[in-house]
Structures are given as C-alpha cells and as structure tokens.
Amino acid sequence: MALALILPAAYPAQAEASLQALIDQAAPGDTVTIPEGKYEGPIRITKPLKLLAQGKVRLTNPSEEAALTIAADDVTLQGITVLDSRINSDDASIIVSGNRNLLEKVTVETMGTGIQLRGANANTLRNVSVIGKVKDRGSTSAGHDHSAHLSKSASKPKVTVQAQKGNGIDLYDSHDNHLIDNQVTNVFDGIYLEKSTGNELTQNRVEKSRYGYHLMGTTQTSLKNNTGIENVTGAMLMETANATVVGNRFLKQQQNPNSQGILLYDVKNSLLADNRIEGNRVGLYLERSSGITVTGNRLSLNFVGMQLTASTGNTWTNNQFISNVIAAQAQNSETDNLNGNYWDNLLGLDVDGDHKSDLPYEMNPFYLGLTDAIPAYQLFFQSPGFVFLENLFTSGTGSPIRDETPLMPTANVVSAESQTNSNWGAAILGLILLAGSCTFIYVGVKKS
C-alpha cells in the first residue's frame, strides 16, 4: 500500500529545505503529495515514486544543475511548475534518463531547453507546457540573436550575456515514447528527436519557434493530429525513414524566406496523409527523398503549394491544391508518380465523364532552376517578362513532371474551395510574402 507523505505547508522555508530530503526518505513505490507552495531545486529522483502537486506548486532553480532530474524507472510527476532562469546551460530544466515514467500537467518556463530525454524509453509526456522566456530582438530567424542581461554588483560593470533558445522537448537515443497533448511556445525547436525509434507524437501544438517538429536520423516516428503555427518550418524531417505524418495542421509558417509547412530532406519510405497545410510560404517541400506516399493532403493559400527537387519514386495522389499563388514547382524529379490530384488552376477537359481530365497538369521547372542559381531573381516573380520567359522555356516541349490524370472539380472539391479564401485572398497573401522576401534580400545585399 502506497504511503502519502505530506510536506508542512505552513512553513515554506522548511518545505523548500525538506523536499529533497523527503523524497530521499520515501520508500520505492510511495506517493509523495506536495502541498501548495514554492520550493527550490535541484531535485533528483532515483527510485520509483509518485509526486503529486496539491494546488500551485512551483520549483525554482538557483543552482547551475537541472532543476529536476528523473534517474529512475516508473516515476510519476504531476502538476508542478518549474521556473528555470539559468542561461545557456547544457542541461535542460528537467532531465529524464529512466523508463516508463509519466510527466503530466507539468509546466516549464525556461531560458534554455525545457525537457530532455536521454537514453529514456517508453515514457509518457502528457499535457506538458514548455514556454521559452528568451525574448527575440527582432530577428526573423527563430533561435538566433536573443539577449538577456545579468547585472553584477554596483561596483562592477554590467555584463551582457547572449542567451540562446533551447529546444522545448528534446529526445536523443530515446525510443517508444509517447508525447500527447503538449504545448510548446517560443523555443528553438519545439519537439526535437535524434537517433530515436518508434516515438509517437499526438495532438501536440508548437508555435513561434524555429522548427515545430524536428526529426533527425529517426525511424518509425509517428506524427498524428499535431499543430504547428507561425514557426519558421512546421515539421522538418531529415535523414529519416518510415515516418508517418497523418492528420496534422501546419498553418502560417510564412515570416521567413525559408519557411515551409513540411520539409523532407533525405527521407525514405514514409507516409504523408490527410494533413492540412495552409498559409505557408512553401506548403510542402521534398528534396532527395524517395518512397514517399503523399495522399489526401489539402494545400491551400500557400505562396507555393509544393516544391519537389531531386526526388525519386514518390507517389502523389488525391491531394488538393487550392488557392495557392503557385500550385507546384518541380525539378529533377521525373520518376515521381503524380496521378489523380486536384489543381484549381488546371485547364482541364473531361471528354468521357470520369471526373479526370484528359489533359495533363504540367509543372514548370524554370523558376526553381533559375532562382536556385540566382536567389535574387525571386524579386521578378510573376513579372510579365519572367512569365514570358517561363512560358518560352517550356513552349512545345511538354514538362516531364506532370499529373497525367488530374481530377476535375467535384462536389467535395467545390465545397472545400468555398471554405477557402478566394483567389484574390491568395493573391494578396502572395504579394505580402513577396514583399517580405524582397525585404530579406535587400537587407542581405545591403549588409554584404
């Protein structure tokens, strides 16, 4: 039978001093109920326990160590808030190195990384909130150029310390973990996974960070029903295999010239299905990726709906491209199979009434090739001369990258279009994004 250990709420100083001692005194499997109050770290848990906050429990961290370390299996941590003011520490506010632990209803306010899992397997993080407290100094690239100030005594000069954002939730060599219904705001990478297998990310939300969900060298990762809003890139998958990206929303990644809703680089044998990708600079970008199935996604109101570069053997079907400034661009990806997608700018013809156009939808590689070579040419996007050159480049040749059987409008597609802003809205969005790109290019040239 578990033993409930209750700290003396009437004596906050005593509570601060005794929290670690009380944890040390508890037997494995005990329940430690922490009454409302303010406590000091660092706290270290080395045996299976249940730590349950009662009311508002805040853990501050005057030390240089992690505020809280879980170096055991089968620990439950519930209901606490960690306030960590350390700057540029290599350690996160919370470090987990054990297995089968549960962190639930935990809030972390941090000047660095929120939670790290290191060699930690089968853990669950549910309803965890990580809030980055480093303020931007007007930089357009999240995670860079942030500052915080530390004052020494009055007799010494002020010392300025450059604070760098850390990741919200960071997994390394950690497998089969479940991240459910967590919220991450204003960090470097929202949820970062490296060299990790079989992790499931479900119903999380990341906003105002660099990469919302960053997968680096992972396998069998599942991203389902997550949201990324106003990050530089919603989801970044690199050197990853067998990923499942289903039912997510990636909205308004547009404040940076390199913003994408979803970016895949060197990704193999993965599924992207039923995602809503809306209002981004580039909705979906694939480079050097193969064996990707892209189906049932809705890409709308993006500056560019899809960009495809140097990719092979991918399958695109039943996707909807609606009210994007440019629906799609492709280059050096002739072996990709695009069939049965809906393109709202298609000049289609359905002679036999099968709801598929008898005329293909072709993607022009001219813009991608030219702007890759000379990025400043983005300034001339959709200018009359640029459009003329683009048409001249492919006139009479036929693009090798095409959807052979694009879909004609159906009742479902018409309904989807009616729920999306008009093409005027897409044009306005395009002008705004183009103006932003021009500003970035001008500033870069001026600085050089």
Side-chain angles (χ1 to χ4, degrees):
M1 182 175 178
L3 174 65
L5 302 172
I6 303 178
L7 291 173
Y11 304 99
Q14 182 179 351
E16 291 176 359
S18 63
L19 178 54
Q20 180 65 63
L22 187 56
I23 290 172
D24 292 341
Q25 293 167 10
D30 282 349
T31 296
V32 179
T33 302
I34 309 173
E36 183 169 340
K38 182 178 179 181
Y39 305 90
E40 285 191 354
I43 299 298
R44 187 173 182 84
I45 305 168
T46 58
K47 54 195 165 188
L49 293 172
K50 284 188 177 181
L51 274 71
L52 308 179
Q54 194 175 62
K56 294 182 179 179
V57 172
R58 299 194 300 169
L59 177 66
T60 61
N61 188 30
S63 77
E64 291 302 314
E65 303 175 32
L68 193 149
T69 300
I70 300 176
D73 300 338
D74 303 306
V75 172
T76 294
L77 179 67
Q78 188 178 87
I80 75 166
T81 295
V82 175
L83 307 175
D84 195 350
S85 59
R86 294 173 305 151
I87 296 176
N88 299 339
S89 174
D90 291 335
D91 293 332
S93 300
I94 298 177
I95 297 177
V96 180
S97 59
N99 306 315
R100 300 183 305 278
N101 299 295
L102 169 64
L103 277 66
E104 187 172 29
K105 298 180 181 178
V106 171
T107 298
V108 179
E109 297 185 9
T110 181
M111 297 290 289
T113 294
I115 301 173
Q116 289 174 335
L117 274 64
R118 294 292 184 263
N121 306 319
N123 298 282
T124 298
L125 279 62
R126 181 185 296 117
N127 198 11
V128 168
S129 178
V130 178
I131 303 167
K133 303 303 288 186
V134 176
K135 294 183 179 180
D136 292 329
R137 297 191 306 173
S139 169
T140 58
S141 179
H144 300 283
D145 298 331
H146 309 290
S147 66
H149 300 280
L150 296 180
S151 294
K152 300 295 184 180
S153 64
S155 62
K156 296 182 180 180
K158 179 182 289 186
V159 177
T160 300
V161 177
Q162 191 81 4
Q164 298 292 332
K165 289 182 177 180
N167 297 330
I169 301 173
D170 185 307
L171 280 66
Y172 182 86
D173 191 26
S174 297
H175 315 294
D176 301 318
N177 298 286
H178 301 270
L179 280 61
I180 306 167
D181 196 23
N182 304 298
Q183 298 82 41
V184 181
T185 304
N186 190 37
V187 298
F188 191 60
D189 290 348
I191 300 178
Y192 177 81
L193 285 70
E194 184 175 355
K195 295 184 179 179
S196 300
T197 300
N199 294 289
E200 296 184 1
L201 283 61
T202 307
Q203 295 180 335
N204 303 285
R205 180 186 178 98
V206 180
E207 57 185 325
K208 294 180 172 57
S209 301
R210 187 185 70 151
Y211 303 150
Y213 307 87
H214 189 181
L215 278 57
M216 174 65 74
T218 73
T219 57
Q220 298 178 342
T221 304
S222 172
L223 276 71
K224 292 186 178 180
N225 302 322
N226 302 284
T227 299
I229 297 180
E230 295 183 350
N231 305 291
V232 173
T233 293
M236 168 77 81
L237 283 66
M238 302 182 70
E239 300 175 2
T240 284
N242 304 111
T244 300
V245 183
V246 175
N248 304 283
R249 300 189 309 152
F250 297 106
L251 315 174
K252 300 181 181 179
Q253 274 73 216
Q254 57 184 233
Q255 298 302 315
N256 188 284
N258 298 313
S259 288
Q260 301 93 6
I262 306 176
L263 185 150
L264 274 64
Y265 182 88
D266 192 16
V267 176
K268 312 294 183 187
N269 304 325
S270 297
L271 171 67
L272 276 64
D274 303 323
N275 299 290
R276 178 185 168 194
I277 306 170
E278 182 176 304
N280 306 284
R281 189 178 185 277
V282 175
L284 177 55
Y285 179 89
L286 267 70
E287 183 173 353
R288 298 185 183 181
S289 297
S290 61
I292 313 299
T293 298
V294 185
T295 182
N297 301 284
R298 178 179 169 188
L299 300 96
S300 61
L301 293 172
N302 303 289
F303 183 65
V304 180
M306 175 268 282
Q307 284 184 336
L308 187 60
T309 302
S311 294
T312 58
N314 303 300
T315 300
W316 302 70
T317 183
N318 200 34
N319 302 288
Q320 297 179 356
F321 294 81
I322 299 173
S323 295
N324 302 288
V325 178
I326 304 174
Q329 298 172 333
Q331 181 184 36
N332 300 328
S333 303
E334 289 80 5
T335 64
D336 271 31
N337 178 17
L338 291 94
N339 282 300
N341 302 282
Y342 176 76
W343 314 87
D344 67 348
N345 62 335
L346 168 73
L347 297 177
L349 178 64
D350 182 13
V351 175
D352 56 9
D354 64 353
H355 302 294
K356 296 180 180 179
S357 174
D358 299 313
L359 301 176
Y361 182 86
E362 298 183 348
M363 276 151 273
N364 196 324
F366 177 77
Y367 179 83
L368 268 181
L370 193 59
T371 56
D372 278 352
I374 308 176
Y377 281 176
Q378 295 178 60
L379 290 168
F380 302 107
F381 169 73
Q382 294 295 79
S383 66
F386 207 94
V387 172
F388 172 77
L389 289 174
E390 188 172 41
N391 291 333
L392 185 64
F393 179 79
T394 57
S395 178
T397 63
S399 171
I401 309 171
R402 60 174 68 189
D403 187 334
E404 294 287 356
T405 56
L407 300 178
M408 298 295 289
T410 63
N412 289 337
V413 169
V414 170
S415 175
E417 285 186 305
S418 68
Q419 296 172 12
T420 303
N421 291 342
S422 68
N423 285 323
W424 283 105
I428 293 171
L429 173 64
L431 291 174
I432 293 172
L433 294 172
L434 179 59
S437 298
C438 293
T439 301
F440 294 129
I441 294 171
Y442 172 76
V443 171
V445 171
K446 186 176 180 180
K447 287 183 177 180
S448 63

